[in-house]
Amino acid sequence: VYEDNQSGTVSILGGTGEQGRGLGRRLAMAGVPVVLGSRDAGRAETVAEEMRTADPGIDVSGASNEVAATVGRIVIVAVPYAGHRELLSGLAGALAGKLVVDCVNPLGFDKRGAHVLAVPEGSAAEEAAAVLPDSRIVAAFHHVSAKLLLEGDGPLDTDVLVVGDDRDAKDEVIRLVEAIKGMRGIDAGALRLAAHVEGMTAALISVNRRYRAHAGLRVTDV
Ligand SMILES: NC(=O)c1ccc[n+]([C@@H]2O[C@H](COP(=O)([O-])OP(=O)(O)OC[C@H]3O[C@@H](n4cnc5c(N)ncnc54)[C@H](OP(=O)(O)O)[C@@H]3O)[C@@H](O)[C@H]2O)c1
């Protein structure tokens, strides 16, 4: 069971999607109370109910993104990049003082595969920092496959690169990462490096296509 000195709810904005459901499921399986947020509270409630039916005993509920942002002690952002800036701008008040964990990869897809989109601030995580000046922003979980999060309950065998400018916030996120069986959190530096972490996902998606895999990362010698 996840133990944290300030244990509390983890909310997931865009929690009805694959990545949000996957992270929510694994965190809830580790004993973390999870609230899935959505633009439509009813949709989030339905998804949460399906998850409780599939994995009895997990503490997952659904709410609007606004309520999720308000009740979460840690708030994970798992919406497509296209909706990222607008959603977070509207929640700046609710997210003030919170630890916000951004896993958004600003990617486009064309006939040559995945590619990285230009973000004025440099990365999705820095965009979050720009629109949420009163929140602590950490970026993590970019390379974790939703498919693997959603399937089975065995260990995940993957590392999670964690970047941010607040060491305590990163350590808190590393503890959260490590609540999930098989996952290890690695402090990979400052928030200005988020573009490289997000962009690496385009290469991993290419690996997945070539090898029909759900590739993740392992950092060696650490
Ligand atoms: N899928 C993966 O394996 C994976 C892995 C690592 C990181 N990520 C990142 O995680 C994020 C979510 O990925 P996903 O595959 O879960 O995406 P998704 O299923 O397409 O979207 C997630 C949720 O976001 C909400 N949403 C969609 N468009 C929105 C908009 N314009 N504004 C606000 N909310 C919107 C939807 O929820 P409601 O309609 O209920 O509001 C949707 O269920 C992406 O940024 C992706 O790069 C994904």
Side-chain angles (χ1 to χ4, degrees):
V1 170
Y2 172 63
E3 284 194 30
D4 189 61
N5 48 11
Q6 298 170 278
S7 113
T9 297
V10 172
S11 292
I12 307 178
L13 308 180
T16 57
E18 281 216 307
Q19 185 70 350
R21 277 185 285 121
L23 288 173
R25 170 174 185 263
R26 292 287 178 158
L27 290 170
M29 285 165 67
V32 179
V34 170
V35 175
L36 304 178
S38 168
R39 290 169 295 181
D40 175 341
R43 179 156 55 236
E45 283 161 15
T46 302
V47 169
E49 192 178 341
E50 286 164 7
M51 288 173 61
R52 290 193 302 269
T53 304
D55 292 295
I58 62 173
D59 182 356
V60 177
S61 52
S64 65
N65 283 323
E66 290 74 9
V67 169
T70 303
V71 301
R73 192 178 65 78
I74 298 179
V75 179
I76 298 175
V77 188
V79 295
Y81 177 64
H84 181 255
R85 185 186 301 270
E86 190 188 339
L87 176 74
L88 293 185
S89 304
L91 295 175
L95 292 171
K98 308 258 173 168
L99 173 47
V100 174
V101 183
D102 203 296
C103 73
V104 170
N105 294 308
L107 300 178
F109 296 87
D110 63 19
K111 59 178 191 277
R112 288 194 291 158
H115 60 93
V116 183
L117 300 175
V119 177
E121 289 82 358
S123 63
E126 289 165 292
E127 180 177 287
V131 299
L132 303 174
D134 299 321
S135 305
R136 294 184 297 161
I137 310 297
V138 171
F141 296 117
H142 306 83
H143 308 135
V144 181
S145 154
K147 292 270 181 302
L148 298 183
L149 292 168
L150 287 165
E151 274 171 22
D153 56 6
L156 279 163
D157 187 25
T158 198
D159 285 339
V160 170
L161 300 184
V162 178
V163 296
D165 292 336
D166 178 328
R167 174 80 180 257
D168 291 341
K170 281 193 284 192
D171 285 346
E172 223 175 301
V173 174
I174 289 170
R175 284 197 291 279
L176 186 70
V177 166
E178 296 186 348
I180 299 178
K181 245 193 296 177
M183 269 194 201
R184 182 177 65 153
I186 300 279
D187 183 343
L191 201 69
R192 67 182 181 178
L193 300 180
H196 307 289
V197 174
E198 294 169 8
M200 173 63 78
T201 309
L204 286 176
I205 289 171
S206 306
V207 170
N208 291 344
R209 288 189 173 176
R210 170 83 195 257
Y211 299 96
R212 297 185 187 282
H214 302 295
L217 288 185
R218 272 294 188 203
V219 176
T220 58
D221 202 32
V222 178

